Coordinates of all heavy atoms in Angstrom, one line a residue:
F1 N 113.0 90.9 92.6 CA 113.1 92.4 92.5 C 111.9 93.0 93.3 O 110.8 92.5 93.3 CB 112.9 92.8 91.1 CG 113.9 92.2 90.1 CD1 113.6 91.0 89.4 CD2 115.1 92.8 89.8 CE1 114.4 90.5 88.5 CE2 116.0 92.3 88.9 CZ 115.6 91.1 88.3
V2 N 112.2 94.2 93.9 CA 111.1 95.0 94.4 C 111.1 96.3 93.6 O 112.1 96.9 93.4 CB 111.2 95.3 95.9 CG1 110.1 96.2 96.4 CG2 111.3 94.0 96.7
K3 N 109.9 96.7 93.1 CA 109.8 97.9 92.3 C 108.8 98.8 93.0 O 107.7 98.5 93.4 CB 109.2 97.5 90.9 CG 109.0 98.8 90.0 CD 108.7 98.5 88.6 CE 107.3 98.0 88.4 NZ 106.9 98.0 87.0
F4 N 109.3 100.1 93.1 CA 108.5 101.1 93.8 C 108.0 102.1 92.7 O 108.8 102.6 91.9 CB 109.3 101.9 94.8 CG 109.9 101.0 95.9 CD1 111.1 100.4 95.7 CD2 109.2 100.8 97.0 CE1 111.6 99.6 96.7 CE2 109.7 100.0 98.0 CZ 110.9 99.4 97.9
S5 N 106.7 102.3 92.6 CA 106.1 103.2 91.6 C 105.5 104.4 92.2 O 104.3 104.4 92.4 CB 105.1 102.4 90.8 OG 104.7 103.1 89.6
N6 N 106.3 105.5 92.4 CA 105.8 106.8 92.7 C 104.6 106.9 93.6 O 103.6 107.6 93.2 CB 105.6 107.6 91.5 CG 106.9 108.4 91.1 OD1 107.9 108.3 91.8 ND2 106.8 109.2 90.1
G7 N 104.5 106.3 94.7 CA 103.4 106.5 95.6 C 102.1 105.8 95.1 O 101.0 105.9 95.7
L8 N 102.2 105.0 94.1 CA 101.1 104.2 93.6 C 101.0 102.8 94.1 O 100.0 102.4 94.7 CB 101.1 104.2 92.0 CG 100.9 105.5 91.3 CD1 101.2 105.4 89.9 CD2 99.5 106.1 91.6
F9 N 102.1 102.1 94.0 CA 102.1 100.7 94.4 C 103.6 100.2 94.5 O 104.5 100.9 94.0 CB 101.3 99.7 93.6 CG 101.6 99.8 92.1 CD1 102.7 99.3 91.5 CD2 100.8 100.5 91.3 CE1 103.0 99.4 90.2 CE2 101.0 100.6 89.9 CZ 102.2 100.0 89.4
V10 N 103.7 99.1 95.1 CA 105.0 98.3 95.2 C 104.7 97.0 94.6 O 103.6 96.4 94.8 CB 105.5 98.1 96.6 CG1 106.7 97.3 96.7 CG2 105.8 99.5 97.3
I11 N 105.6 96.5 93.7 CA 105.5 95.1 93.2 C 106.8 94.3 93.6 O 107.9 94.8 93.4 CB 105.4 95.1 91.6 CG1 104.3 96.0 91.2 CG2 105.3 93.7 91.1 CD1 104.2 96.1 89.6
K12 N 106.5 93.2 94.2 CA 107.6 92.2 94.4 C 107.6 91.2 93.3 O 106.5 90.5 93.1 CB 107.5 91.6 95.8 CG 108.6 90.6 96.0 CD 108.4 90.0 97.4 CE 109.5 88.9 97.6 NZ 109.1 88.0 98.7
Y13 N 108.6 91.1 92.5 CA 108.7 90.1 91.4 C 109.6 88.9 91.9 O 110.6 89.2 92.5 CB 109.5 90.7 90.2 CG 108.8 91.7 89.4 CD1 108.7 93.0 89.8 CD2 108.2 91.4 88.2 CE1 108.1 94.0 89.1 CE2 107.6 92.3 87.4 CZ 107.6 93.6 87.9 OH 106.9 94.6 87.1
E14 N 109.1 87.7 91.7 CA 109.8 86.5 92.0 C 110.0 85.7 90.7 O 109.0 85.5 90.1 CB 109.1 85.7 93.1 CG 108.9 86.4 94.4 CD 107.9 85.7 95.3 OE1 107.2 84.7 94.8 OE2 107.8 86.1 96.4
I15 N 111.2 85.3 90.4 CA 111.4 84.4 89.3 C 112.2 83.2 89.7 O 113.3 83.3 90.2 CB 112.1 85.1 88.1 CG1 111.4 86.4 87.7 CG2 112.3 84.2 86.9 CD1 112.2 87.3 86.8
D16 N 111.5 82.0 89.6 CA 112.1 80.8 90.0 C 112.4 79.9 88.8 O 111.5 79.7 87.9 CB 111.2 80.0 91.0 CG 111.1 80.6 92.3 OD1 112.1 80.7 93.0 OD2 110.0 81.0 92.7
L17 N 113.6 79.3 88.7 CA 114.0 78.4 87.6 C 114.1 77.0 88.1 O 114.9 76.8 89.1 CB 115.3 78.9 87.0 CG 115.4 80.3 86.5 CD1 116.8 80.6 86.0 CD2 114.3 80.6 85.5
V18 N 113.4 76.1 87.5 CA 113.4 74.7 87.9 C 113.6 73.8 86.7 O 112.9 74.0 85.7 CB 112.0 74.3 88.6 CG1 112.0 72.8 89.0 CG2 111.8 75.1 89.9
E19 N 114.5 72.9 86.8 CA 114.8 72.0 85.7 C 113.6 71.0 85.5 O 113.0 70.5 86.4 CB 116.0 71.2 85.9 CG 117.3 72.0 85.9 CD 118.5 71.3 86.3 OE1 118.5 70.1 86.7 OE2 119.6 71.9 86.2
T20 N 113.3 70.7 84.2 CA 112.2 69.8 83.9 C 112.9 68.4 83.4 O 114.1 68.4 83.1 CB 111.3 70.3 82.7 OG1 112.1 70.5 81.6 CG2 110.7 71.6 83.1
E21 N 112.1 67.4 83.4 CA 112.6 66.1 83.0 C 113.1 66.0 81.6 O 114.0 65.2 81.2 CB 111.5 65.0 83.2 CG 111.2 64.7 84.6 CD 110.2 63.6 84.8 OE1 109.9 62.9 83.9 OE2 109.7 63.5 86.0
D22 N 112.6 66.9 80.7 CA 113.0 66.9 79.3 C 114.2 67.8 79.0 O 114.7 68.0 77.9 CB 111.9 67.4 78.4 CG 111.5 68.8 78.6 OD1 112.1 69.5 79.4 OD2 110.5 69.3 77.9
G23 N 114.8 68.3 80.1 CA 116.1 69.1 80.0 C 115.9 70.6 79.9 O 116.8 71.3 79.8
G24 N 114.6 71.0 79.8 CA 114.3 72.4 79.8 C 114.2 73.0 81.2 O 114.6 72.4 82.2
I25 N 113.6 74.2 81.2 CA 113.5 74.9 82.5 C 112.0 75.4 82.6 O 111.5 75.9 81.6 CB 114.4 76.1 82.6 CG1 115.9 75.7 82.6 CG2 114.1 77.0 83.8 CD1 116.3 74.9 83.8
T26 N 111.4 75.3 83.7 CA 110.2 76.0 84.0 C 110.6 77.2 84.8 O 111.2 77.1 85.9 CB 109.2 75.1 84.8 OG1 108.8 74.0 84.0 CG2 107.9 75.9 85.2
A27 N 110.2 78.4 84.3 CA 110.4 79.6 85.0 C 109.1 80.1 85.5 O 108.2 80.4 84.7 CB 111.1 80.7 84.1
T28 N 108.9 80.2 86.8 CA 107.7 80.8 87.4 C 107.9 82.2 87.7 O 108.8 82.6 88.5 CB 107.3 80.0 88.6 OG1 107.2 78.6 88.2 CG2 105.9 80.5 89.2
W29 N 107.1 83.1 87.1 CA 107.1 84.5 87.3 C 105.9 84.9 88.2 O 104.8 84.7 87.8 CB 107.0 85.3 86.0 CG 108.2 85.1 85.1 CD1 108.7 84.0 84.5 CD2 109.0 86.2 84.5 NE1 109.8 84.2 83.7 CE2 110.0 85.6 83.7 CE3 109.0 87.5 84.7 CZ2 111.0 86.3 83.1 CZ3 110.0 88.3 84.0 CH2 110.9 87.7 83.2
T30 N 106.2 85.4 89.3 CA 105.1 85.8 90.2 C 105.3 87.3 90.6 O 106.4 87.8 90.9 CB 105.1 85.0 91.5 OG1 105.0 83.6 91.1 CG2 104.0 85.3 92.4
Q31 N 104.2 88.0 90.6 CA 104.2 89.4 91.0 C 103.2 89.6 92.1 O 102.0 89.2 92.1 CB 103.7 90.4 89.8 CG 104.7 90.5 88.7 CD 104.2 91.5 87.7 OE1 103.1 91.9 87.6 NE2 105.1 91.8 86.8
H32 N 103.7 90.2 93.2 CA 102.8 90.6 94.4 C 102.7 92.1 94.3 O 103.6 92.8 94.6 CB 103.4 90.1 95.7 CG 103.8 88.7 95.7 ND1 102.8 87.8 96.0 CD2 104.9 88.0 95.5 CE1 103.4 86.6 96.0 NE2 104.7 86.7 95.7
F33 N 101.5 92.6 94.0 CA 101.2 94.0 94.0 C 100.6 94.5 95.3 O 99.8 93.8 95.9 CB 100.1 94.3 93.0 CG 100.4 94.1 91.5 CD1 100.3 92.8 91.0 CD2 100.8 95.1 90.7 CE1 100.6 92.6 89.7 CE2 101.1 94.9 89.4 CZ 101.0 93.7 88.9
T34 N 101.1 95.6 95.8 CA 100.5 96.2 97.0 C 100.3 97.7 96.8 O 101.2 98.4 96.4 CB 101.5 96.1 98.2 OG1 101.8 94.7 98.4 CG2 100.8 96.6 99.5
G35 N 99.0 98.1 96.9 CA 98.7 99.5 96.7 C 99.2 100.4 97.8 O 99.3 100.1 98.9
L36 N 99.7 101.6 97.3 CA 100.1 102.6 98.3 C 99.2 103.8 98.4 O 99.4 104.7 99.2 CB 101.5 103.1 97.9 CG 102.6 102.1 97.9 CD1 103.9 102.7 97.3 CD2 102.8 101.5 99.2
S37 N 98.2 103.8 97.5 CA 97.2 104.9 97.4 C 95.9 104.4 96.8 O 95.9 103.3 96.2 CB 97.8 106.1 96.6 OG 98.0 105.7 95.3
E38 N 94.9 105.2 96.8 CA 93.6 104.7 96.1 C 93.9 104.6 94.6 O 93.4 103.6 94.0 CB 92.5 105.7 96.4 CG 92.0 105.8 97.8 CD 91.5 104.4 98.3 OE1 91.1 103.6 97.5 OE2 91.5 104.2 99.6
A39 N 94.7 105.5 94.0 CA 95.0 105.4 92.6 C 95.7 104.1 92.3 O 95.5 103.4 91.3 CB 95.8 106.6 92.1
G40 N 96.7 103.7 93.2 CA 97.4 102.5 93.1 C 96.5 101.3 93.2 O 96.6 100.3 92.5
N41 N 95.6 101.3 94.2 CA 94.6 100.2 94.4 C 93.8 100.1 93.1 O 93.5 98.9 92.7 CB 93.7 100.5 95.6 CG 94.3 100.2 96.9 OD1 95.4 99.6 97.0 ND2 93.6 100.6 98.0
D42 N 93.4 101.2 92.5 CA 92.6 101.1 91.3 C 93.4 100.5 90.1 O 92.8 99.7 89.4 CB 92.1 102.5 90.8 CG 91.1 103.1 91.8 OD1 90.5 102.4 92.6 OD2 90.9 104.3 91.7
M43 N 94.7 100.8 90.0 CA 95.5 100.2 89.0 C 95.7 98.7 89.2 O 95.6 97.9 88.3 CB 96.9 100.9 88.9 CG 96.8 102.2 88.4 SD 98.4 103.0 88.5 CE 98.1 104.6 87.8

């Protein structure tokens, strides 16, 4: 997902699902924040 937050920042969300040996799933949640303003950089 890409989320735009009113001139503050953009976040790219990545969610990856990988099977584990025990039959479960490892879900890796990654967020890449990029500031669009000084206020966004501060957040």
Side-chain angles (χ1 to χ4, degrees):
F1 304 90
V2 176
K3 177 171 77 169
F4 302 89
S5 188
N6 268 4
L8 295 169
F9 51 78
V10 174
I11 303 175
K12 181 180 176 200
Y13 288 80
E14 301 168 348
I15 305 171
D16 289 298
L17 304 178
V18 177
E19 293 175 353
T20 61
E21 290 182 15
D22 66 1
I25 297 294
T26 296
T28 304
W29 292 59
T30 303
Q31 291 183 347
H32 304 279
F33 293 83
T34 305
L36 299 175
S37 64
E38 291 300 337
N41 281 350
D42 292 345
M43 290 177 181

